[in-house]
């Protein structure tokens, strides 16, 4: 086992706040990296400091996000080049895995001791037995059991370890190899596995770690089951299929021998080919990293009627590519949400008003804009008191106006240069929306 120490490593990071299309979410802070990003996870210490643990193509970055207006990198741990890194925490430790890699030696499972993080200091070690070199993802349950998914051992199912006994020296307990599992999570004695190539959500009994047993399976809507997360009451599992035009799906798992998809939803944009990535349950809500559409929040209090209530578009990319938001972490004590965008860096976001859905916000504001895109000007139809600001894509304010209900129809944009603009509109009750305008 290799033991190393790390203090402050310097990367070229730029802090910025930019205007993006959004609804019910606000950007609090942002860090740009020279390297591409993958996953993000969060951590808070006993002093109530909050941190983002960010996967990069060339390593792992730890950022103090306690004050989103003053983000700074506490430490950087270099690693082999890999598109894929995933992160989870348990106690005062973070665990990081990478998938296929080049330009360096495998780190297996990178174990980071976070006890001294408040002093800008960390310690880390690598766990690398001779029977694996990589994994796609990992999960740690409430009992200190580590699950490693999608590796180069056996069929790439899951290896199961005890990290409660010694967090820096995992003890192998067993494995499940009936399917390749791209990802998974565990609650109690049930593992919810994402058998991506089989296109199925699996329910696996892991009460006996040496002999896990398949309880049931169900196909997900687009047959490429990438990620799964169970509701707090254990009756519903929410899944994503990582393909163009796929959905976030709600699966009734009250009877694991007869699981059923009961609803599905796509993200806010008019483009129907955008790819969902990872969804996480936060109480009655789903927080999902959605590649080119950024991050979305869905009200899942009624899993048969999923309703999007907020989003923030972190990405300038559009359509069905793998650009944009890779990871979203919604569990910081502050309530802030961390989002890692592959090209646009780390975002720290807040949620404004979850009582309003994306679909009804514009209706409540009674605001209509056409045409969009436009080569000349944009016509706004208004029948209530509204204020709005228009920003260029670099975040600079272009104009700010207030309108009374008798304004009816007004025009904007005739003197704007071609490009992308963000209009943020609000009314006297604090209802806020953000609309992307394209001047051609």
């Amino acid at each position: 086992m290799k033991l190393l120490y790390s203090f402050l490593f310097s990367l070229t990071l730029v802090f910025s706040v930019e205007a993006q299309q959004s609804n019910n979410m606000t950007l609090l802070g942002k860090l740009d990296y020279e390297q591409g990003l993958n996953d993000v996870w969060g951590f808070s210490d006993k002093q109530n400091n909050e941190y983002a643990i960010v996967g990069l193509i060339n390593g792992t970055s730890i950022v103090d996000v306690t004050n989103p207006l003053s983000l700074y990198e506490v430490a950087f741990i270099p690693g082999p080049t890999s598109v894929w890194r995933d992160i989870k925490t348990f106690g005062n430790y973070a665990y990081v895995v990478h998938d296929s890699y080049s330009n360096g030696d495998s780190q297996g499972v990178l174990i980071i001791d976070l006890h001294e993080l408040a002093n800008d200091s960390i310690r880390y070690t690598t766990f690398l037995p001779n029977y694996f070199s990589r994994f796609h993802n990992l999960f740690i349950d409430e009992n200190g059991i580590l699950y490693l998914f999608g590796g180069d051992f056996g069929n790439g199912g899951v290896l199961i370890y005890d990290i409660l006994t010694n967090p820096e020296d995992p003890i192998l307990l067993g494995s499940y190899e009936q399917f390749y599992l791209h990802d998974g999570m565990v609650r109690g004695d049930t593992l919810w596995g994402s058998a991506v190539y089989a296109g199925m959500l699996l329910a696996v009994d892991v009460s006996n770690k040496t002999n896990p047993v398949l309880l049931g399976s169900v196909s997900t809507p687009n047959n490429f089951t990438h990620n799964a997360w169970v509701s707090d009451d254990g009756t519903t599992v929410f899944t994503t299929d990582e393909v163009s035009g796929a959905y976030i799906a709600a699966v009734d798992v009250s009877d694991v021998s007869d699981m059923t998809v009961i609803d599905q939803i796509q993200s806010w944009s008019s483009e129907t080919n955008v790819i969902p990535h990872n969804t996480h349950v936060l109480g009655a809500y789903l927080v999902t990293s959605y590649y080119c559409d950024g991050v979305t929040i869905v009200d899942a209090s009624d899993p048969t009627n999923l309703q999007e209530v907020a989003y923030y578009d972190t990405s300038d990319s559009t359509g069905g590519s793998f650009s944009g938001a890779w990871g979203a972490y919604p569990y910081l004590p502050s309530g802030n949400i961390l989002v890692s965008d592959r090209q646009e860096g780390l975002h720290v976001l807040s949620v404004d008003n979850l009582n309003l859905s994306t679909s009804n916000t514009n209706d409540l504001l009674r605001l209509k804009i056409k045409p969009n895109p436009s080569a000349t000007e944009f016509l706004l139809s208004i029948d209530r008191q509204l204020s709005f600001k228009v920003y260029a894509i670099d975040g600079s304010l272009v104009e700010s106006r207030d309108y009374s209900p008798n304004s009816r129809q007004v025009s904007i944009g005739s003197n704007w240069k071609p490009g992308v603009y963000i209009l943020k509109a609000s009314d006297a009750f604090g209802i806020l929306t953000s609309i992307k305008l394209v001047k051609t």
Side-chain angles (χ1 to χ4, degrees), residues 407-439:
S407 298
R408 296 299 180 184
Q409 190 172 81
V410 297
S411 66
I412 59 173
S414 60
N415 61 341
W416 299 352
K417 296 179 181 179
V420 177
Y421 297 84
I422 304 296
L423 181 147
K424 290 182 176 289
S426 61
D427 70 357
F429 300 100
I431 300 173
L432 174 70
T433 194
S434 179
I435 301 169
K436 183 183 293 183
L437 305 177
V438 180
K439 181 70 178 291

Side-chain angles (χ1 to χ4, degrees), residues 41-44 50 88 139 185 187 229-230 232 279-283 285-287 328-338:
W41 205 249
F43 174 75
S44 58
E50 296 183 343
K88 298 294 185 295
F139 184 82
M185 66 94 63
R187 177 80 52 76
W229 212 267
V230 69
D232 289 348
T279 194
H280 296 93
V281 173
L282 179 65
Y285 299 95
L286 309 179
V287 180
Y329 179 82
Y331 303 120
L332 290 175
S334 65
N336 293 340
I337 294 175
L338 306 173

Side-chain angles (χ1 to χ4, degrees), residues 204-252:
V204 181
D205 182 348
V206 291
S207 56
N208 181 352
K209 306 296 187 289
T210 64
N211 185 33
V213 176
L214 180 65
L215 300 175
S217 64
V218 63
S219 296
T220 50
N222 297 84
N223 299 305
F224 201 75
T225 317
H226 178 266
N227 148 260
W229 212 267
V230 69
S231 62
D232 289 348
D233 65 7
T235 63
T236 311
V237 170
F238 302 94
T239 67
T240 56
D241 289 306
E242 194 187 18
V243 291
S244 176
Y247 293 82
I248 304 168
V251 182
D252 182 347

Side-chain angles (χ1 to χ4, degrees), residues 109-121:
V109 181
L110 175 66
I111 304 172
I112 310 171
D113 184 343
L114 305 173
H115 282 86
E116 296 298 322
L117 194 53
N119 298 319
D120 289 353
S121 176

Side-chain angles (χ1 to χ4, degrees), residues 257-274:
S257 66
D258 187 25
M259 296 185 284
T260 306
V261 176
I262 53 177
D263 199 18
Q264 57 189 38
I265 189 172
Q266 290 183 312
S267 58
W268 55 272
S269 72
S270 59
E271 297 174 332
T272 59
N273 62 339
V274 184

Side-chain angles (χ1 to χ4, degrees), residues 41-53 63 65-66 89-93 114-115 117-118 329 331-334 338:
W41 205 249
F43 174 75
S44 58
D45 63 21
K46 292 181 179 179
Q47 290 77 38
N48 297 317
N49 299 309
E50 296 183 343
Y51 302 89
I53 307 171
V63 179
V65 297
T66 309
T89 56
F90 183 75
N92 288 303
Y93 288 86
L114 305 173
H115 282 86
L117 194 53
Y329 179 82
Y331 303 120
L332 290 175
S334 65
L338 306 173

Side-chain angles (χ1 to χ4, degrees), residues 64-121:
D64 190 319
V65 297
T66 309
N67 178 3
L69 294 176
S70 183
L71 307 180
Y72 73 93
E73 185 181 65
V74 176
F76 171 71
I77 303 170
T81 301
S82 181
V83 173
W84 303 274
R85 277 186 169 81
D86 273 276
I87 306 136
K88 298 294 185 295
T89 56
F90 183 75
N92 288 303
Y93 288 86
Y95 296 78
V96 185
V97 296
H98 59 75
D99 208 326
S100 300
Y101 63 96
S102 61
N103 299 325
D105 297 327
S106 171
Q107 288 181 321
V109 181
L110 175 66
I111 304 172
I112 310 171
D113 184 343
L114 305 173
H115 282 86
E116 296 298 322
L117 194 53
N119 298 319
D120 289 353
S121 176

Side-chain angles (χ1 to χ4, degrees), residues 143-418:
N143 300 310
I145 305 299
L146 169 66
Y147 299 83
L148 301 175
F149 299 100
D152 54 357
F153 173 84
N155 291 328
V158 58
L159 291 176
I160 307 171
Y161 291 87
D162 167 20
I163 58 171
L164 184 63
T165 302
N166 185 345
E168 297 184 20
D169 191 12
I171 301 168
L172 181 63
L173 300 178
S175 67
Y176 176 77
E177 298 295 331
Q178 188 172 345
F179 292 86
Y180 169 84
L181 295 181
H182 200 68
D183 196 356
M185 66 94 63
V186 179
R187 177 80 52 76
D189 289 329
T190 304
L191 183 154
W192 303 102
S194 299
V196 63
Y197 299 128
M200 295 191 301
L201 168 69
L202 308 182
V204 181
D205 182 348
V206 291
S207 56
N208 181 352
K209 306 296 187 289
T210 64
N211 185 33
V213 176
L214 180 65
L215 300 175
S217 64
V218 63
S219 296
T220 50
N222 297 84
N223 299 305
F224 201 75
T225 317
H226 178 266
N227 148 260
W229 212 267
V230 69
S231 62
D232 289 348
D233 65 7
T235 63
T236 311
V237 170
F238 302 94
T239 67
T240 56
D241 289 306
E242 194 187 18
V243 291
S244 176
Y247 293 82
I248 304 168
V251 182
D252 182 347
V253 298
S254 54
D255 179 357
V256 293
S257 66
D258 187 25
M259 296 185 284
T260 306
V261 176
I262 53 177
D263 199 18
Q264 57 189 38
I265 189 172
Q266 290 183 312
S267 58
W268 55 272
S269 72
S270 59
E271 297 174 332
T272 59
N273 62 339
V274 184
I275 304 170
H277 196 212
N278 291 321
T279 194
H280 296 93
V281 173
L282 179 65
Y285 299 95
L286 309 179
V287 180
T288 306
S289 51
Y290 219 109
Y291 281 121
C292 292
D293 276 355
V295 60
T296 72
I297 299 181
V298 168
D299 183 344
S301 55
D302 177 1
T304 68
N305 184 28
L306 302 176
Q307 296 288 325
E308 186 178 79
V309 293
Y311 67 82
Y312 189 92
D313 186 5
T314 60
S315 177
D316 291 335
S317 300
T318 58
S321 78
F322 294 98
S323 299
W326 178 299
Y329 179 82
Y331 303 120
L332 290 175
S334 65
N336 293 340
I337 294 175
L338 306 173
V339 179
S340 55
D341 185 291
R342 297 188 69 189
Q343 292 78 30
E344 302 299 329
L346 171 67
H347 295 65
V348 183
L349 302 166
S350 66
V351 182
D352 302 328
N353 186 349
L354 290 179
N355 294 318
L356 299 175
S357 71
T358 297
S359 60
N360 69 24
T361 300
N362 287 0
D363 292 338
L364 287 170
L365 289 174
R366 296 199 288 274
L367 172 64
K368 297 180 181 179
I369 301 176
K370 62 179 183 180
N372 187 20
S374 174
T376 53
E377 61 185 8
F378 303 89
L379 298 178
L380 282 66
S381 298
I382 300 169
D383 66 354
R384 70 186 302 174
Q385 184 79 32
L386 283 182
S387 298
F388 76 80
K389 295 181 179 180
V390 178
Y391 298 86
I393 198 66
D394 64 1
S396 60
L397 181 65
V398 176
E399 60 179 279
S400 176
R401 300 191 190 183
D402 295 311
Y403 288 114
S404 62
N406 58 11
S407 298
R408 296 299 180 184
Q409 190 172 81
V410 297
S411 66
I412 59 173
S414 60
N415 61 341
W416 299 352
K417 296 179 181 179

